[in-house]
C-alpha cells in the first residue's frame, strides 16, 4: 500500500515501481513484478538496479540468456548482481565461475557452488560462515559435505537440523544419491521416515 501511494504521488519516479516489484518477487508474483520493473525501466533506462531485478525475473522464468543480458547490463549494482550471476553460473553448470562470482558471500549458494566444484573443505567453511539463521539449505548442504567426506556425525546432525527446519526435505534426502551409501542404515531411515 505504501508503494501504491508513492507511485500515485510520484508517477515519474522509477523507485516506487522498482520497490513494489521487489516486494512482489518476494511474494513469488514474478509476472506482476516484471511489469512493474518494466515500467521502472521506461522511466530510467540505465539504472543497474532495475536491470538486475529484470534479470531475476528472467531467471525465475527460465530464460537464462535474457537473465545473463540483464545482469551484464546491471554491472555496478554491487553484490546482488554477483550473487545472481553466481546462481546463473550454477544453473549453467559453470561451477568455477559460480565460485568466483559468489566470492565470500554468506549465501548458502556459495557452499553449493564449492561442493559442485569439488571443494568440500571450502564448502564446509563457507557454510559454517553462512549467517542465514534457520536456513535449511545451509544445513542440507553441510550434510552433503559430511556424506562426501565420510564425516558421518556432521552428515547426520546437519540432515536432522535441515529436516527439522523443513520436514518436506525428508523426501528429497530419501532419494538423493549423495546419501546413497546410507540408504540402508537404520539411523538414516529413521531421519527420513
Amino acid at each position: 500500500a505504501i508503494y501504491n501511494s508513492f507511485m500515485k504521488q510520484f508517477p515519474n519516479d522509477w523507485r516506487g515501481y522498482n520497490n513494489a516489484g521487489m516486494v512482489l518477487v518476494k511474494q513469488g508474483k514474478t509476472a506482476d513484478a516484471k511489469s512493474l520493473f518494466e515500467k521502472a525501466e521506461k522511466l530510467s533506462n540505465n539504472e543497474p538496479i532495475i536491470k538486475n531485478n529484470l534479470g531475476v525475473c528472467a531467471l525465475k522464468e527460465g530464460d537464462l540468456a535474457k537473465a545473463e543480458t540483464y545482469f551484464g547490463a546491471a554491472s555496478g549494482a554491487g553484490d546482488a548482481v554477483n550473487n545472481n550471476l553466481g546462481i546463473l553460473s550454477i544453473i549453467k553448470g559453470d561451477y568455477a565461475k559460480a565460485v568466483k562470482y559468489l566470492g565470500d558471500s554468506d549465501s548458502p549458494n556459495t557452499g553449493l557452488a564449492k561442493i559442485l566444484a569439488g571443494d568440500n573443505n571450502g564448502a564446509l567453511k563457507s557454510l559454517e560462515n553462512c549467517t542465514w539463521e534457520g536456513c535449511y539449505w545451509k544445513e542440507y548442504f553441510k550434510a552433503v559435505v559430511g556424506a562426501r567426506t565420510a564425516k558421518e556425525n556432521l552428515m547426520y546432525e546437519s540432515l536432522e537440523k535441515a529436516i527439522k527446519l523443513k520436514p518436506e526435505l525428508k523426501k528429497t534426502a530419501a532419494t538423493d544419491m549423495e546419501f546413497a551409501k546410507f540408504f540402508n542404515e537404520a539411523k538414516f531411515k529413521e531421519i527420513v521416515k
Side-chain angles (χ1 to χ4, degrees):
I2 191 166
Y3 293 124
N4 287 338
S5 64
F6 183 91
M7 288 183 288
K8 280 182 187 143
Q9 201 172 348
F10 305 102
N12 296 321
D13 191 325
W14 65 270
R15 290 172 298 183
Y17 297 102
N18 183 70
N19 294 344
M22 289 172 78
V23 171
L24 291 170
V25 166
K26 286 183 178 154
Q27 293 172 349
K29 299 174 182 172
T30 307
D32 296 336
K34 183 180 172 185
S35 70
L36 289 177
F37 293 142
E38 286 167 346
K39 283 179 185 172
E41 186 182 34
K42 280 184 182 132
L43 294 168
S44 183
N45 188 38
N46 295 318
E47 182 55 55
I49 293 166
I50 301 167
K51 302 289 187 194
N52 178 60
N53 293 337
L54 281 164
V56 169
C57 290
L59 197 57
K60 286 181 181 286
E61 291 169 344
D63 190 339
L64 304 188
K66 192 180 274 186
E68 196 159 19
T69 301
Y70 277 128
F71 294 145
S75 60
D79 291 343
V81 178
N82 285 340
N83 182 62
N84 292 331
L85 282 164
I87 292 167
L88 179 65
S89 298
I90 289 171
I91 294 167
K92 289 174 71 178
D94 192 341
Y95 308 129
K97 196 181 268 187
V99 168
K100 190 182 92 178
Y101 279 127
L102 292 164
D104 56 6
S105 157
D106 70 345
S107 160
N109 290 319
T110 308
L112 173 61
K114 288 179 180 177
I115 289 170
L116 295 170
D119 180 5
N120 293 314
N121 291 335
L124 185 58
K125 190 175 174 189
S126 289
L127 292 164
E128 285 173 345
N129 289 335
C130 177
T131 59
W132 294 23
E133 283 305 311
C135 178
Y136 50 88
W137 284 123
K138 165 185 164 178
E139 296 303 332
Y140 192 88
F141 296 151
K142 281 168 65 177
V144 169
V145 172
R148 284 184 170 205
T149 57
K151 293 178 181 165
E152 284 190 34
N153 286 346
L154 173 67
M155 192 274 290
Y156 281 126
E157 284 171 23
S158 299
L159 192 57
E160 279 182 302
K161 282 181 192 170
I163 288 171
K164 197 173 190 180
L165 290 164
K166 188 165 178 80
E168 299 91 317
L169 283 176
K170 285 180 183 184
K171 275 187 197 167
T172 306
T175 58
D176 189 336
M177 293 311 290
E178 292 287 352
F179 305 117
K181 64 183 173 193
F182 301 98
F183 284 171
N184 294 319
E185 303 247 341
K187 191 171 182 179
F188 184 83
K189 286 180 181 177
E190 184 64 28
I191 292 171
V192 299
K193 77 171 187 187

